[in-house]
Amino acid sequence: MTRHLLTLNDWSAEAIEEIIAHGLYIKHHRSEFAQAMAGRTLLMLFEKPSLRTRVSFETGMEQMGGHAIYYDVSTSPMGKGKESIADVARTVSRYVDIIMARTYEHTTIEELAHYATVPVINGLSNFSHPCQILGDLMTLKEKKGTLAGLKLAYLGDAHNNVTHSLLFACPKVGMHISIGCPAGPKYEPLPDVLASARAAAQATGVSVDVHHQPEAAVDGADVVYTDSWMSYHIPEDERQERFAALGPFQVTSDLMKRAKPDAVFMHCLPAQRGVEQTAEVIDGPQSIVFDQAENRLHIQKAIILKLMGRL
Ligand code: CP
Ligand code: NVA
């Protein structure tokens, strides 16, 4: 395992399962970690908006006796084009103990990690969102007891960070993954990510499928997952075209009936009711979206402590 968290492609099944177990332990033994980050500082660099990632990391540090700095990159010399990523990484490594960054380009996170002398956590790039998926797998472990053998169906925009991170992680932990998305490179996962998922799936004996009919993707699923059709980096002028293409992949109650009777509905949030899913689904009894959101807090603590060598 590297000392950074950039993508889940870099993490083994054992490392993923270990961090989930730590997240679950920390959730139920909060007071044991009350001083675990005393005197330590997390720098949080943001190029994009955030509710969950920002508040869970900041609260997590505070609950562990540490401190977090929120830094809007647009107000920095780097954001103004006056300082290189390398110089930012080398400078802030002299001040803080750990960095979390949310960026547009994934190469920005890679460059930060390359030059930083402290651990770097990817808090979402256009390419991947590893913290989200670690929290989601923790939530599934909590709800279903075991991950191996579950079938996760992802519907909608599959050419995105959340899908890529699901593809990196699910096959490693023995979960089948079935994607339902419009045909074409704009909506399908990156071919390299699919190839990596298929290689991992061969080792664990699970399936990785891409369908262009939503029903085929959802049949018999234990988990139905969707995400925004307008990720933070998507230009507003693409809305109409995207909604037309993605419309058939909206998660509806009828579609949920194709999944197992005890299937859960997941969404990383932020969500738009009546767009990627109906209100009936996200506000219905199968939805576990706020458990997912809560577990971001617990898993962030585990990620920080692991990368700091405290676990
Ligand atoms: N799911 C997630 O990362 O949410 P935010 O964009 O609010 O951080
Ligand atoms: N795919 C979404 C995830 C938001 C947490 C985005 O990038 O905006």
Side-chain angles (χ1 to χ4, degrees):
M1 199 177 90
T2 66
R3 73 191 168 89
H4 303 297
L5 173 54
L6 306 188
T7 81
L8 293 175
N9 202 26
D10 310 331
W11 280 35
S12 65
E14 294 70 33
I16 293 171
E17 274 156 11
E18 190 199 353
I19 207 90
I20 292 167
H22 285 308
L24 286 167
Y25 185 87
I26 292 167
K27 178 171 183 173
H28 298 290
H29 300 83
R30 174 174 156 180
S31 60
E32 276 182 37
F33 299 88
Q35 291 304 311
M37 287 297 283
R40 305 288 182 167
T41 302
L42 165 74
L43 175 66
M44 308 190 296
L45 296 169
F46 281 94
E47 289 183 346
K48 294 175 177 171
S50 172
L51 171 68
R52 282 143 289 271
T53 305
R54 175 182 176 177
V55 179
S56 60
F57 267 106
E58 191 163 340
T59 307
M61 281 300 285
E62 194 273 333
Q63 290 182 358
M64 294 195 291
H67 176 64
I69 299 171
Y70 170 76
Y71 197 21
D72 173 353
V73 174
S74 70
T75 66
S76 74
M78 180 177 136
K80 303 279 181 209
K82 296 196 179 296
E83 192 162 27
S84 70
I85 298 163
D87 283 358
V88 170
R90 288 183 287 216
T91 302
V92 300
S93 294
R94 303 288 182 105
Y95 304 141
V96 304
D97 302 282
I98 184 161
I99 300 166
M100 187 274 289
R102 168 167 287 195
T103 66
Y104 287 95
E105 300 309 321
H106 188 70
T107 50
T108 305
I109 307 246
E110 289 178 328
E111 209 171 331
L112 275 170
H114 180 77
Y115 288 101
T117 56
V118 298
V120 173
I121 300 169
N122 178 358
L124 180 150
S125 65
N126 292 357
F127 174 65
S128 83
H129 196 5
C131 300
Q132 177 69 49
I133 274 49
L134 291 176
D136 294 342
L137 294 183
M138 171 181 160
T139 308
L140 284 174
K141 177 99 182 166
E142 214 173 20
K143 299 282 177 196
K144 300 280 185 187
T146 180
L147 298 177
L150 294 178
K151 173 180 172 178
L152 182 144
Y154 176 92
L155 286 190
D157 176 15
H159 187 80
N160 78 1
N161 38 28
V162 164
T163 319
H164 292 153
S165 296
L166 285 168
L167 280 165
F168 285 140
C170 291
K172 279 185 192 164
V173 298
M175 287 172 62
H176 304 275
I177 179 163
S178 171
I179 290 170
C181 65
K186 197 162 180 175
Y187 300 107
E188 290 178 25
L190 283 168
D192 285 0
V193 178
L194 265 180
S196 165
R198 289 196 164 119
Q202 252 190 340
T204 52
V206 296
S207 54
V208 174
D209 299 311
V210 178
H211 300 275
H212 302 305
Q213 295 294 333
E215 294 81 7
V218 169
D219 272 343
D222 300 280
V223 185
V224 180
Y225 199 125
T226 191
D227 185 8
S228 168
W229 292 352
M230 291 294 289
S231 282
Y232 292 127
H233 63 284
I234 305 285
E236 188 52 38
D237 63 7
E238 290 189 21
R239 180 178 291 268
Q240 211 179 340
E241 176 199 330
R242 293 175 66 83
F243 277 35
L246 289 159
F249 298 88
Q250 182 189 61
V251 182
T252 61
S253 296
D254 278 349
L255 215 42
M256 286 300 293
K257 289 191 188 111
R258 311 279 302 228
K260 286 192 182 149
D262 64 348
V264 291
F265 171 76
M266 300 182 85
H267 191 312
C268 58
L269 305 179
Q272 294 280 304
R273 285 163 179 77
V275 182
E276 67 272 13
Q277 72 288 290
T278 60
E280 196 180 19
V281 168
I282 195 167
D283 298 322
Q286 288 170 286
S287 174
I288 57 168
V289 300
F290 296 110
D291 298 305
Q292 280 179 266
E294 177 189 336
N295 284 338
R296 295 293 305 279
L297 170 66
H298 310 297
I299 205 79
Q300 319 296 30
K301 290 183 184 176
I303 294 165
I304 292 166
L305 293 173
K306 182 71 191 169
L307 297 182
M308 297 284 299
R310 302 298 182 89
L311 287 176

